[in-house]
Amino acid sequence: LENDANAAGWGEYRFGAGRGSVDMVMVTLGTGVGGAVITDGSLLIGANGSAAELGHLRFVRSGRPCGSPSRSAAAVQIQAGS
């Protein structure tokens, strides 16, 4: 079972725009900000399955808090229009 951003990234890597690449990054925008990272032909998952969850990366040092451990995450800043 995989999240939608990882599944979309893997699909593009295997059958779409990333076909033939060794490394690829995909950013997804929907109800949140997500992404997929393929490196050396493998999907980067991370220790807890959130390696490419771009919406939870710290984006603005003193931005609006988002409630996740990262605080000031990209998804909150984008929603706020910062």
Side-chain angles (χ1 to χ4, degrees):
L1 192 60
E2 196 54 74
N3 73 38
D4 58 343
N6 282 346
W10 187 252
E12 284 295 333
Y13 172 74
R14 290 294 309 257
F15 307 109
R19 192 173 190 176
S21 299
V22 176
D23 302 315
M24 187 188 96
V25 174
M26 179 177 184
V27 176
T28 60
L29 300 173
T31 56
V33 181
V37 175
I38 289 91
T39 182
D40 288 327
S42 297
L43 182 63
L44 186 63
I45 301 295
N48 62 1
S50 61
E53 290 300 319
L54 305 176
H56 289 288
L57 293 178
R58 188 171 177 159
F59 191 71
V60 176
R61 184 181 307 264
S62 60
R64 293 177 51 179
C66 74
S68 75
S70 65
R71 295 186 53 89
S72 301
V76 171
Q77 301 309 313
I78 290 167
Q79 290 171 346
S82 298

